[in-house]
Amino acid sequence: MMKITFPDGAVREYQPGTTALDIAKSISEGLAKKVLAASVNGAVWDATRAINSDSTLKLLTWNEAEGKSTFWHSSAHLMAEAVESIFPGVKFWVGPATQNPPGFYYDMDLGDRKITEEELVALEKKMNELAKQNNPYIRKEISKTEAVKYFFDKGDEYKLDLLHNLDDGNITFYTQGGFTDLCRGPHIPQTGLIKAIKLTNIAGAYWKGDEKNKQLTRIYGITFPNQKELDEYLQLLEEAKKRDHRKLGKELGIYTMDDDVGQGLIMWLPNGTIVIEELEKLAKETEKAAGYKRVVTPHIAKESMYITSGHLPYYADSMYPPMEMDGEKYYLKSMNCPHHHKIFAAEPKSYRDLPYRIAEYGTVYRYEQSGELFGLMRVRCLHMNDAHIYCTREQFAAEFRAVNEMYQKYFKIFGIEKYIMRLSLHSPDKLGKKYVNEPELWKETEAMVRDVLIESNIPFVEVQDEAAFYGPKIDVQIFSVIGREFTLATNQVDFSQGRSFKLQYTSKDNIAETPLIIHRAPLGTHERFIGFLLEHYAGKLPVWLAPLQVKILPISDKFIDYAQNVLESLKKADIRAEIDDRPEKIGKKIRDTELARVPYMLVIGEKEISENKVSIRRQGKGDLGAKEVSIFINEILEEIKTRASE
């Protein structure tokens, strides 16, 4: 008999060869109907795969992220089966589950054929037909030789390319109905679990994300275990379209891009630059109060520094290629930490200087694949709210806790009510490859981070194999008001680079010690955070962030002089304001200002002049009545000072 340990610590015995689905049935038939996959000793498996030795087991349903991911990846295979039935001879590249947007996609080579919107509807119908057949997903282990022959006979260069990098003994095929694919899995038990299907988009995607390669067709979709959830999601999707930061960014004059400048390189327009300056002001005030000192570093550095840091070769694929001058190689800066380490090392330090906190809105350059670029969310030039804290081990818990408290302060300011911290851990079998080969230090620092999170009552989940190469990290996941998930920032612990750069401080005992390093970026990058804010607020930024805070609307030209006096008073108070002096009716001026999402409108007519007042309208709230200009100025200044969210 083998022992199965459940998440609550309970242990049950089963015959070797029992599947997770069998175990679920032994608990209850109702539970078994909900099981999509299983976590066996921390790895996600098919629920129908035999377990042959003592193991830890967690049954995964739709309520778990791994359950949804398995469901959507299985749906990608179902879509591929439907595509193959309608477009014989199609060749497939990869079809993963996705988090943002949620669902799945499959990249495919259709030859000279194109999929139309009408055919997308036909594919949906076919997927529903196939799902109802309730075919099982069958896993088969296969040798590399057999796999190569299978795809060679099909003339499938894409799967042959995938096989090239796989080791013999780690290859599996999955079959459902009439479709077979190279896949490591896992998959749900059968297609009948997929009850509601929507194919959402057709796009082009370069093979391997490289624009030098052939462009494939990418079909996006999403599925649910019931129609009600799909209907709710589609309603949310419609709202999300209205809030798309790319649409709002154009409408509000926030940013632009140009092919002559380059893909993924953002140019901030005057309105966007105001938002940036206000965010920087917030960060600088917060960091000054927390004891940070500001620094500025160059945008390039020599190759030798990135070899010392370990970013070469760990990070080389994400860096721009080097420039050669005078026999030296220089790289565009892809991260700020090596420069900050050099600043720490520039002057001798003692324990009295620690914790040593330095901050910079540093510009970094990362060569994201063109197929992954997306508005402000995935770019190649980033302006990062970066900082590094150099501290002793005794200081670590307090410093790490303070960083998390800074995150929570920002959440309150921006009205972020739902968030979760992802504690990203290393993978022991990748030490020396993906991660620094220090097993004991990994265990120690991961425990230190975990303890701080538990003591601070901060919600978090643990994720394997997503740490930085030099230490564990926290990825901060935030949710907009409509529930869309964003990765805001990161908070990393570094036990490696201090030694690599020979960073030292003199301890109380006059001994040279290496500091622990905390990498943190609570507001992430301007690019991603402003993209989030545009969607979170639907473009209706709070007054303190709004590029234009007040629009003055004279009813006719004879009130322009009074409007000009009001404008001067607002400008003296450092309030961003303009006059709409167009020869339009007041109704149109109000509608246009609402559409421009300006927080306040001051309407001026005969009555306002006679009473020496202005009539105030608030974005989304309508008429607030008439007030003296000085009173309005005091009220809006208080709203700006407190950074009120609405």
Side-chain angles (χ1 to χ4, degrees):
M1 301 290 282
M2 63 179 182
K3 294 181 179 180
I4 299 298
T5 304
F6 294 89
D8 64 357
V11 179
R12 294 190 183 190
E13 291 189 344
Y14 294 91
Q15 289 286 347
T18 303
T19 69
L21 194 59
D22 293 331
I23 293 171
K25 287 177 182 176
S26 74
I27 299 171
S28 83
E29 286 291 335
L31 174 62
K33 291 177 181 178
K34 297 177 182 177
V35 170
L36 302 175
S39 175
V40 180
N41 297 324
V44 183
W45 279 25
D46 305 301
T48 54
R49 185 174 171 184
I51 303 170
N52 292 304
S53 60
D54 293 352
S55 302
T56 60
L57 175 69
K58 180 181 180 182
L59 299 171
L60 302 175
T61 68
W62 180 252
N63 293 326
E64 283 78 36
E66 300 98 326
K68 285 186 174 72
S69 180
T70 303
F71 191 90
W72 287 331
H73 180 50
S74 301
S75 301
H77 279 235
L78 184 69
M79 181 179 74
E81 183 180 7
V83 171
E84 196 170 61
S85 70
I86 296 175
F87 296 91
V90 61
K91 298 175 184 177
F92 296 100
W93 173 230
V94 290
T98 58
Q99 290 184 341
N100 194 11
F104 59 89
Y105 70 78
Y106 222 124
D107 288 345
M108 59 196 74
D109 184 350
L110 293 165
D112 297 329
R113 296 166 291 186
K114 302 280 186 185
I115 292 183
T116 64
E117 292 295 333
E118 292 76 16
E119 287 167 325
L120 207 61
V121 174
L123 279 174
E124 272 184 30
K125 183 179 179 182
K126 187 65 177 179
M127 285 180 70
N128 278 295
E129 291 175 7
L130 294 170
K132 289 175 182 176
Q133 292 177 9
N134 204 27
N135 291 315
Y137 286 87
I138 301 169
R139 180 179 186 272
K140 179 182 179 182
E141 296 182 5
I142 192 169
S143 71
K144 186 171 182 177
T145 301
E146 291 175 288
V148 168
K149 183 179 186 305
Y150 179 86
F151 287 110
F152 181 82
D153 291 345
K154 292 184 70 173
D156 192 332
E157 65 271 29
Y158 300 105
K159 298 300 182 184
L160 290 172
D161 182 84
L162 283 172
L163 282 165
H164 179 73
N165 296 314
L166 296 180
D167 297 328
D168 202 353
N170 292 321
I171 297 168
T172 51
F173 277 12
Y174 277 85
T175 298
Q176 93 276 353
F179 180 73
T180 297
D181 201 5
L182 170 70
C183 181
R184 64 184 177 186
H187 286 282
I188 60 177
Q190 66 271 345
T191 62
L193 293 168
I194 303 170
K195 304 289 188 182
I197 299 166
K198 180 65 179 178
L199 299 183
T200 56
N201 191 28
I202 307 169
Y206 292 107
W207 182 34
K208 299 183 180 181
D210 187 340
E211 59 263 42
K212 296 177 183 176
N213 290 337
K214 182 174 182 177
Q215 190 173 68
L216 305 178
T217 297
R218 174 175 293 181
I219 303 179
Y220 288 92
I222 191 165
T223 53
F224 290 91
N226 60 70
Q227 187 63 40
K228 180 175 179 288
E229 287 194 60
L230 175 59
D231 292 341
E232 290 172 351
Y233 173 77
L234 293 177
Q235 186 176 355
L236 188 66
L237 202 61
E238 284 303 309
E239 180 62 27
K241 285 179 183 178
K242 299 175 189 175
R243 293 171 178 258
D244 189 324
H245 77 273
R246 295 167 298 175
K247 172 178 173 287
L248 293 170
K250 183 176 181 180
E251 290 175 359
L252 300 178
I254 301 295
Y255 74 99
T256 189
M257 291 185 283
D258 191 283
D259 287 342
D260 287 337
V261 176
Q263 284 187 303
L265 302 175
I266 303 299
M267 291 182 290
W268 296 98
L269 299 173
N271 283 351
T273 304
I274 290 171
V275 179
I276 284 175
E277 289 173 345
E278 290 296 335
L279 290 174
E280 287 193 6
K281 182 180 177 183
L282 169 64
K284 288 174 181 177
E285 287 177 5
T286 305
E287 289 164 358
K288 183 179 180 180
Y292 289 80
K293 299 174 182 178
R294 302 209 69 76
V295 297
V296 178
T297 59
H299 290 219
I300 63 172
K302 289 166 61 175
E303 178 185 53
S304 57
M305 187 168 76
Y306 293 120
I307 291 174
T308 300
S309 72
H311 288 98
L312 290 175
Y314 285 111
Y315 208 75
D317 290 345
S318 296
M319 297 173 71
Y320 273 85
M323 302 169 279
E324 292 201 31
M325 295 290 288
D326 301 325
E328 297 274 11
K329 288 184 179 179
Y330 288 83
Y331 283 84
L332 283 173
K333 179 171 64 171
S334 59
M335 64 294 296
N336 298 302
C337 40
H339 291 78
H340 287 192
H341 300 337
K342 290 293 186 181
I343 287 176
F344 179 91
E347 298 173 333
K349 302 285 188 302
S350 81
Y351 68 93
R352 293 185 181 90
D353 299 307
L354 272 55
Y356 184 76
R357 311 178 189 97
I358 52 176
E360 173 183 22
Y361 251 107
T363 305
V364 297
Y365 303 86
R366 296 177 182 172
Y367 194 78
E368 300 282 359
Q369 297 294 332
S370 61
E372 298 175 345
L373 297 174
F374 179 71
L376 292 174
M377 299 302 178
R378 293 295 291 269
V379 296
R380 288 175 173 169
C381 176
L382 310 90
H383 299 80
M384 185 176 293
N385 171 222
D386 215 351
H388 294 85
I389 303 169
Y390 303 82
C391 64
T392 66
R393 290 181 180 274
E394 294 74 23
Q395 294 167 336
F396 170 80
E399 291 300 309
F400 203 77
R401 187 179 302 110
V403 171
N404 289 328
E405 288 170 355
M406 188 181 290
Y407 280 110
Q408 291 172 310
K409 174 185 175 180
Y410 288 144
F411 295 160
K412 186 175 181 180
I413 289 172
F414 295 106
I416 299 168
E417 297 180 353
K418 183 180 178 183
Y419 66 90
I420 193 163
M421 308 288 196
R422 284 163 50 98
L423 173 52
S424 298
L425 309 173
H426 78 299
S427 178
D429 61 349
K430 294 181 181 178
L431 290 174
K433 300 173 185 176
K434 185 177 178 180
Y435 304 108
V436 173
N437 193 9
E438 295 280 1
E440 293 307 314
L441 281 174
W442 276 105
K443 290 179 185 177
E444 181 183 354
T445 50
E446 287 173 351
M448 290 165 66
V449 174
R450 187 183 293 110
D451 289 346
V452 171
L453 292 171
I454 293 171
E455 290 167 8
S456 303
N457 292 318
I458 292 175
F460 74 98
V461 295
E462 296 191 11
V463 183
Q464 293 288 334
D465 197 23
E466 290 190 13
F469 71 84
Y470 46 65
K473 66 174 180 173
I474 290 174
D475 289 318
V476 184
Q477 305 299 117
I478 59 176
F479 297 80
S480 73
V481 291
I482 62 167
R484 288 193 64 185
E485 183 177 358
F486 295 79
T487 300
L488 170 62
T490 187
N491 189 10
Q492 304 174 353
V493 185
D494 183 349
F495 58 75
S496 173
Q497 290 195 36
R499 289 183 300 175
S500 300
F501 280 88
K502 298 182 171 58
L503 304 184
Q504 293 184 338
Y505 67 93
T506 304
S507 72
K508 289 181 181 179
D509 300 323
N510 205 30
I511 297 172
E513 300 277 2
T514 301
L516 267 180
I517 305 169
I518 299 173
H519 306 238
R520 45 110 287 186
L523 292 179
T525 66
H526 286 322
E527 288 73 19
R528 177 164 292 198
F529 193 50
I530 291 175
F532 164 78
L533 290 177
L534 289 172
E535 300 194 3
H536 184 58
Y537 292 119
K540 300 174 184 177
L541 297 172
V543 177
W544 69 277
L545 266 182
L548 183 63
Q549 295 165 324
V550 179
K551 197 71 170 276
I552 304 168
L553 310 179
I555 292 176
S556 71
D557 286 351
K558 66 180 180 178
F559 307 120
I560 292 290
D561 289 343
Y562 185 82
Q564 192 65 45
N565 291 335
V566 173
L567 178 64
E568 291 304 317
S569 298
L570 293 170
K571 286 189 172 181
K572 283 179 183 177
D574 203 23
I575 296 166
R576 298 185 288 272
E578 290 178 358
I579 298 174
D580 185 346
D581 57 5
R582 297 175 300 161
E584 300 285 358
K585 291 183 178 180
I586 190 64
K588 177 169 175 51
K589 289 184 179 182
I590 290 172
R591 283 193 300 275
D592 290 348
T593 308
E594 285 276 358
L595 289 172
R597 299 169 178 84
V598 180
Y600 282 102
M601 290 166 266
L602 303 183
V603 179
I604 295 171
E606 196 74 57
K607 184 181 178 186
E608 285 75 24
I609 290 178
S610 66
E611 296 178 355
N612 197 29
K613 293 181 178 180
V614 289
S615 289
I616 304 165
R617 292 184 65 88
R618 185 67 160 92
Q619 165 70 237
K621 294 183 179 179
D623 188 6
L624 301 183
K627 292 181 181 179
E628 293 178 9
V629 174
S630 60
I631 293 175
F632 170 72
I633 287 175
N634 289 335
E635 289 177 349
I636 191 174
L637 285 177
E638 181 64 18
E639 193 172 350
I640 292 167
K641 179 183 176 182
T642 59
R643 295 189 172 95
S645 60
E646 61 176 32

PDB file of all heavy atoms in Angstrom, residues 32-58:
ATOM      1  N   ALA A  32     -15.346  14.198  -7.212  1.00  0.00           N
ATOM      2  CA  ALA A  32     -14.712  13.629  -8.408  1.00  0.00           C
ATOM      3  C   ALA A  32     -15.175  14.331  -9.677  1.00  0.00           C
ATOM      4  O   ALA A  32     -14.396  14.520 -10.615  1.00  0.00           O
ATOM      5  CB  ALA A  32     -15.004  12.137  -8.491  1.00  0.00           C
ATOM      6  N   LYS A  33     -16.447  14.751  -9.703  1.00  0.00           N
ATOM      7  CA  LYS A  33     -16.962  15.438 -10.889  1.00  0.00           C
ATOM      8  C   LYS A  33     -16.324  16.805 -11.088  1.00  0.00           C
ATOM      9  O   LYS A  33     -16.347  17.363 -12.192  1.00  0.00           O
ATOM     10  CB  LYS A  33     -18.481  15.584 -10.787  1.00  0.00           C
ATOM     11  CG  LYS A  33     -19.234  14.263 -10.910  1.00  0.00           C
ATOM     12  CD  LYS A  33     -20.727  14.460 -10.716  1.00  0.00           C
ATOM     13  CE  LYS A  33     -21.471  13.124 -10.808  1.00  0.00           C
ATOM     14  NZ  LYS A  33     -22.929  13.300 -10.568  1.00  0.00           N
ATOM     15  N   LYS A  34     -15.769  17.364 -10.013  1.00  0.00           N
ATOM     16  CA  LYS A  34     -15.172  18.699 -10.086  1.00  0.00           C
ATOM     17  C   LYS A  34     -13.662  18.670 -10.338  1.00  0.00           C
ATOM     18  O   LYS A  34     -13.069  19.697 -10.673  1.00  0.00           O
ATOM     19  CB  LYS A  34     -15.435  19.458  -8.780  1.00  0.00           C
ATOM     20  CG  LYS A  34     -16.902  19.712  -8.491  1.00  0.00           C
ATOM     21  CD  LYS A  34     -17.064  20.404  -7.143  1.00  0.00           C
ATOM     22  CE  LYS A  34     -18.529  20.627  -6.802  1.00  0.00           C
ATOM     23  NZ  LYS A  34     -18.683  21.245  -5.453  1.00  0.00           N
ATOM     24  N   VAL A  35     -13.034  17.512 -10.168  1.00  0.00           N
ATOM     25  CA  VAL A  35     -11.567  17.438 -10.257  1.00  0.00           C
ATOM     26  C   VAL A  35     -11.117  17.570 -11.708  1.00  0.00           C
ATOM     27  O   VAL A  35     -11.572  16.849 -12.597  1.00  0.00           O
ATOM     28  CB  VAL A  35     -11.054  16.125  -9.642  1.00  0.00           C
ATOM     29  CG1 VAL A  35      -9.566  15.935  -9.955  1.00  0.00           C
ATOM     30  CG2 VAL A  35     -11.266  16.142  -8.144  1.00  0.00           C
ATOM     31  N   LEU A  36     -10.197  18.503 -11.933  1.00  0.00           N
ATOM     32  CA  LEU A  36      -9.653  18.741 -13.274  1.00  0.00           C
ATOM     33  C   LEU A  36      -8.235  18.213 -13.424  1.00  0.00           C
ATOM     34  O   LEU A  36      -7.823  17.792 -14.504  1.00  0.00           O
ATOM     35  CB  LEU A  36      -9.671  20.244 -13.581  1.00  0.00           C
ATOM     36  CG  LEU A  36     -11.036  20.929 -13.522  1.00  0.00           C
ATOM     37  CD1 LEU A  36     -10.880  22.431 -13.723  1.00  0.00           C
ATOM     38  CD2 LEU A  36     -11.972  20.350 -14.581  1.00  0.00           C
ATOM     39  N   ALA A  37      -7.473  18.254 -12.349  1.00  0.00           N
ATOM     40  CA  ALA A  37      -6.086  17.796 -12.361  1.00  0.00           C
ATOM     41  C   ALA A  37      -5.681  17.564 -10.915  1.00  0.00           C
ATOM     42  O   ALA A  37      -6.510  17.667  -9.999  1.00  0.00           O
ATOM     43  CB  ALA A  37      -5.179  18.828 -13.036  1.00  0.00           C
ATOM     44  N   ALA A  38      -4.403  17.270 -10.698  1.00  0.00           N
ATOM     45  CA  ALA A  38      -3.932  17.019  -9.336  1.00  0.00           C
ATOM     46  C   ALA A  38      -2.498  17.502  -9.189  1.00  0.00           C
ATOM     47  O   ALA A  38      -1.706  17.434 -10.134  1.00  0.00           O
ATOM     48  CB  ALA A  38      -4.035  15.534  -9.008  1.00  0.00           C
ATOM     49  N   SER A  39      -2.198  17.990  -8.000  1.00  0.00           N
ATOM     50  CA  SER A  39      -0.811  18.322  -7.672  1.00  0.00           C
ATOM     51  C   SER A  39      -0.242  17.148  -6.902  1.00  0.00           C
ATOM     52  O   SER A  39      -0.680  16.847  -5.789  1.00  0.00           O
ATOM     53  CB  SER A  39      -0.753  19.600  -6.833  1.00  0.00           C
ATOM     54  OG  SER A  39       0.577  19.858  -6.425  1.00  0.00           O
ATOM     55  N   VAL A  40       0.729  16.469  -7.510  1.00  0.00           N
ATOM     56  CA  VAL A  40       1.346  15.289  -6.907  1.00  0.00           C
ATOM     57  C   VAL A  40       2.794  15.641  -6.580  1.00  0.00           C
ATOM     58  O   VAL A  40       3.596  15.923  -7.471  1.00  0.00           O
ATOM     59  CB  VAL A  40       1.279  14.077  -7.862  1.00  0.00           C
ATOM     60  CG1 VAL A  40       1.941  12.858  -7.213  1.00  0.00           C
ATOM     61  CG2 VAL A  40      -0.167  13.774  -8.245  1.00  0.00           C
ATOM     62  N   ASN A  41       3.099  15.690  -5.285  1.00  0.00           N
ATOM     63  CA  ASN A  41       4.442  16.088  -4.833  1.00  0.00           C
ATOM     64  C   ASN A  41       4.858  17.440  -5.423  1.00  0.00           C
ATOM     65  O   ASN A  41       6.011  17.666  -5.786  1.00  0.00           O
ATOM     66  CB  ASN A  41       5.480  15.019  -5.187  1.00  0.00           C
ATOM     67  CG  ASN A  41       5.209  13.702  -4.496  1.00  0.00           C
ATOM     68  OD1 ASN A  41       4.755  13.683  -3.343  1.00  0.00           O
ATOM     69  ND2 ASN A  41       5.457  12.598  -5.183  1.00  0.00           N
ATOM     70  N   GLY A  42       3.878  18.335  -5.555  1.00  0.00           N
ATOM     71  CA  GLY A  42       4.155  19.685  -6.032  1.00  0.00           C
ATOM     72  C   GLY A  42       4.108  19.863  -7.531  1.00  0.00           C
ATOM     73  O   GLY A  42       4.173  20.994  -8.025  1.00  0.00           O
ATOM     74  N   ALA A  43       3.989  18.767  -8.302  1.00  0.00           N
ATOM     75  CA  ALA A  43       3.907  18.851  -9.764  1.00  0.00           C
ATOM     76  C   ALA A  43       2.473  18.588 -10.210  1.00  0.00           C
ATOM     77  O   ALA A  43       1.789  17.720  -9.650  1.00  0.00           O
ATOM     78  CB  ALA A  43       4.847  17.836 -10.404  1.00  0.00           C
ATOM     79  N   VAL A  44       2.009  19.350 -11.212  1.00  0.00           N
ATOM     80  CA  VAL A  44       0.633  19.187 -11.680  1.00  0.00           C
ATOM     81  C   VAL A  44       0.567  18.014 -12.653  1.00  0.00           C
ATOM     82  O   VAL A  44       1.299  17.974 -13.651  1.00  0.00           O
ATOM     83  CB  VAL A  44       0.117  20.478 -12.344  1.00  0.00           C
ATOM     84  CG1 VAL A  44      -1.345  20.305 -12.751  1.00  0.00           C
ATOM     85  CG2 VAL A  44       0.242  21.658 -11.382  1.00  0.00           C
ATOM     86  N   TRP A  45      -0.316  17.073 -12.354  1.00  0.00           N
ATOM     87  CA  TRP A  45      -0.481  15.845 -13.141  1.00  0.00           C
ATOM     88  C   TRP A  45      -1.911  15.760 -13.667  1.00  0.00           C
ATOM     89  O   TRP A  45      -2.830  16.402 -13.156  1.00  0.00           O
ATOM     90  CB  TRP A  45      -0.251  14.614 -12.250  1.00  0.00           C
ATOM     91  CG  TRP A  45       1.176  14.234 -12.008  1.00  0.00           C
ATOM     92  CD1 TRP A  45       2.264  15.051 -12.065  1.00  0.00           C
ATOM     93  CD2 TRP A  45       1.645  12.948 -11.627  1.00  0.00           C
ATOM     94  NE1 TRP A  45       3.392  14.346 -11.747  1.00  0.00           N
ATOM     95  CE2 TRP A  45       3.041  13.044 -11.479  1.00  0.00           C
ATOM     96  CE3 TRP A  45       1.037  11.718 -11.404  1.00  0.00           C
ATOM     97  CZ2 TRP A  45       3.839  11.958 -11.110  1.00  0.00           C
ATOM     98  CZ3 TRP A  45       1.814  10.635 -11.034  1.00  0.00           C
ATOM     99  CH2 TRP A  45       3.206  10.753 -10.901  1.00  0.00           C
ATOM    100  N   ASP A  46      -2.076  14.873 -14.683  1.00  0.00           N
ATOM    101  CA  ASP A  46      -3.424  14.464 -15.079  1.00  0.00           C
ATOM    102  C   ASP A  46      -4.088  13.775 -13.888  1.00  0.00           C
ATOM    103  O   ASP A  46      -3.447  12.977 -13.182  1.00  0.00           O
ATOM    104  CB  ASP A  46      -3.373  13.453 -16.227  1.00  0.00           C
ATOM    105  CG  ASP A  46      -2.589  13.965 -17.420  1.00  0.00           C
ATOM    106  OD1 ASP A  46      -2.972  15.007 -17.964  1.00  0.00           O
ATOM    107  OD2 ASP A  46      -1.584  13.327 -17.785  1.00  0.00           O
ATOM    108  N   ALA A  47      -5.364  14.040 -13.690  1.00  0.00           N
ATOM    109  CA  ALA A  47      -6.093  13.365 -12.613  1.00  0.00           C
ATOM    110  C   ALA A  47      -6.224  11.873 -12.877  1.00  0.00           C
ATOM    111  O   ALA A  47      -6.474  11.087 -11.962  1.00  0.00           O
ATOM    112  CB  ALA A  47      -7.472  13.986 -12.447  1.00  0.00           C
ATOM    113  N   THR A  48      -6.036  11.463 -14.157  1.00  0.00           N
ATOM    114  CA  THR A  48      -6.173  10.046 -14.539  1.00  0.00           C
ATOM    115  C   THR A  48      -4.822   9.323 -14.599  1.00  0.00           C
ATOM    116  O   THR A  48      -4.763   8.173 -15.037  1.00  0.00           O
ATOM    117  CB  THR A  48      -6.842   9.954 -15.919  1.00  0.00           C
ATOM    118  OG1 THR A  48      -6.110  10.766 -16.853  1.00  0.00           O
ATOM    119  CG2 THR A  48      -8.284  10.442 -15.852  1.00  0.00           C
ATOM    120  N   ARG A  49      -3.757   9.974 -14.169  1.00  0.00           N
ATOM    121  CA  ARG A  49      -2.425   9.357 -14.214  1.00  0.00           C
ATOM    122  C   ARG A  49      -2.184   8.559 -12.936  1.00  0.00           C
ATOM    123  O   ARG A  49      -2.467   9.024 -11.825  1.00  0.00           O
ATOM    124  CB  ARG A  49      -1.369  10.446 -14.362  1.00  0.00           C
ATOM    125  CG  ARG A  49       0.052   9.932 -14.533  1.00  0.00           C
ATOM    126  CD  ARG A  49       0.986  11.097 -14.809  1.00  0.00           C
ATOM    127  NE  ARG A  49       2.380  10.694 -14.778  1.00  0.00           N
ATOM    128  CZ  ARG A  49       3.407  11.540 -14.915  1.00  0.00           C
ATOM    129  NH1 ARG A  49       3.168  12.841 -15.111  1.00  0.00           N
ATOM    130  NH2 ARG A  49       4.645  11.105 -14.862  1.00  0.00           N
ATOM    131  N   ALA A  50      -1.641   7.374 -13.082  1.00  0.00           N
ATOM    132  CA  ALA A  50      -1.438   6.478 -11.943  1.00  0.00           C
ATOM    133  C   ALA A  50      -0.357   7.014 -11.008  1.00  0.00           C
ATOM    134  O   ALA A  50       0.687   7.491 -11.444  1.00  0.00           O
ATOM    135  CB  ALA A  50      -1.053   5.091 -12.430  1.00  0.00           C
ATOM    136  N   ILE A  51      -0.630   6.923  -9.702  1.00  0.00           N
ATOM    137  CA  ILE A  51       0.347   7.267  -8.663  1.00  0.00           C
ATOM    138  C   ILE A  51       0.853   5.951  -8.093  1.00  0.00           C
ATOM    139  O   ILE A  51       0.064   5.085  -7.690  1.00  0.00           O
ATOM    140  CB  ILE A  51      -0.306   8.124  -7.564  1.00  0.00           C
ATOM    141  CG1 ILE A  51      -0.933   9.391  -8.168  1.00  0.00           C
ATOM    142  CG2 ILE A  51       0.714   8.511  -6.489  1.00  0.00           C
ATOM    143  CD1 ILE A  51      -1.801  10.177  -7.199  1.00  0.00           C
ATOM    144  N   ASN A  52       2.173   5.797  -8.027  1.00  0.00           N
ATOM    145  CA  ASN A  52       2.726   4.479  -7.681  1.00  0.00           C
ATOM    146  C   ASN A  52       3.541   4.446  -6.396  1.00  0.00           C
ATOM    147  O   ASN A  52       4.082   3.395  -6.037  1.00  0.00           O
ATOM    148  CB  ASN A  52       3.597   3.967  -8.835  1.00  0.00           C
ATOM    149  CG  ASN A  52       2.775   3.646 -10.062  1.00  0.00           C
ATOM    150  OD1 ASN A  52       1.828   2.852  -9.984  1.00  0.00           O
ATOM    151  ND2 ASN A  52       3.103   4.268 -11.190  1.00  0.00           N
ATOM    152  N   SER A  53       3.659   5.573  -5.696  1.00  0.00           N
ATOM    153  CA  SER A  53       4.444   5.576  -4.456  1.00  0.00           C
ATOM    154  C   SER A  53       3.890   6.616  -3.498  1.00  0.00           C
ATOM    155  O   SER A  53       3.024   7.425  -3.862  1.00  0.00           O
ATOM    156  CB  SER A  53       5.918   5.874  -4.771  1.00  0.00           C
ATOM    157  OG  SER A  53       6.047   7.142  -5.396  1.00  0.00           O
ATOM    158  N   ASP A  54       4.373   6.602  -2.275  1.00  0.00           N
ATOM    159  CA  ASP A  54       3.940   7.573  -1.273  1.00  0.00           C
ATOM    160  C   ASP A  54       4.057   8.985  -1.843  1.00  0.00           C
ATOM    161  O   ASP A  54       5.097   9.357  -2.408  1.00  0.00           O
ATOM    162  CB  ASP A  54       4.807   7.467  -0.018  1.00  0.00           C
ATOM    163  CG  ASP A  54       4.612   6.145   0.711  1.00  0.00           C
ATOM    164  OD1 ASP A  54       3.701   5.391   0.329  1.00  0.00           O
ATOM    165  OD2 ASP A  54       5.385   5.873   1.647  1.00  0.00           O
ATOM    166  N   SER A  55       3.005   9.782  -1.689  1.00  0.00           N
ATOM    167  CA  SER A  55       2.994  11.108  -2.305  1.00  0.00           C
ATOM    168  C   SER A  55       2.131  12.073  -1.505  1.00  0.00           C
ATOM    169  O   SER A  55       1.240  11.664  -0.762  1.00  0.00           O
ATOM    170  CB  SER A  55       2.439  11.036  -3.737  1.00  0.00           C
ATOM    171  OG  SER A  55       3.190  10.162  -4.541  1.00  0.00           O
ATOM    172  N   THR A  56       2.426  13.366  -1.695  1.00  0.00           N
ATOM    173  CA  THR A  56       1.496  14.401  -1.246  1.00  0.00           C
ATOM    174  C   THR A  56       0.543  14.669  -2.398  1.00  0.00           C
ATOM    175  O   THR A  56       0.930  14.628  -3.564  1.00  0.00           O
ATOM    176  CB  THR A  56       2.226  15.692  -0.855  1.00  0.00           C
ATOM    177  OG1 THR A  56       2.936  16.194  -1.996  1.00  0.00           O
ATOM    178  CG2 THR A  56       3.200  15.441   0.282  1.00  0.00           C
ATOM    179  N   LEU A  57      -0.707  14.967  -2.068  1.00  0.00           N
ATOM    180  CA  LEU A  57      -1.718  15.128  -3.115  1.00  0.00           C
ATOM    181  C   LEU A  57      -2.635  16.301  -2.799  1.00  0.00           C
ATOM    182  O   LEU A  57      -3.141  16.438  -1.679  1.00  0.00           O
ATOM    183  CB  LEU A  57      -2.557  13.857  -3.246  1.00  0.00           C
ATOM    184  CG  LEU A  57      -3.737  13.919  -4.236  1.00  0.00           C
ATOM    185  CD1 LEU A  57      -3.219  14.000  -5.665  1.00  0.00           C
ATOM    186  CD2 LEU A  57      -4.652  12.713  -4.058  1.00  0.00           C
ATOM    187  N   LYS A  58      -2.850  17.137  -3.820  1.00  0.00           N
ATOM    188  CA  LYS A  58      -3.868  18.178  -3.744  1.00  0.00           C
ATOM    189  C   LYS A  58      -4.748  18.053  -4.978  1.00  0.00           C
ATOM    190  O   LYS A  58      -4.243  18.088  -6.106  1.00  0.00           O
ATOM    191  CB  LYS A  58      -3.225  19.569  -3.692  1.00  0.00           C
ATOM    192  CG  LYS A  58      -4.248  20.704  -3.609  1.00  0.00           C
ATOM    193  CD  LYS A  58      -3.566  22.062  -3.576  1.00  0.00           C
ATOM    194  CE  LYS A  58      -4.591  23.184  -3.507  1.00  0.00           C
ATOM    195  NZ  LYS A  58      -3.937  24.534  -3.516  1.00  0.00           N
TER     196      LYS A  58
END
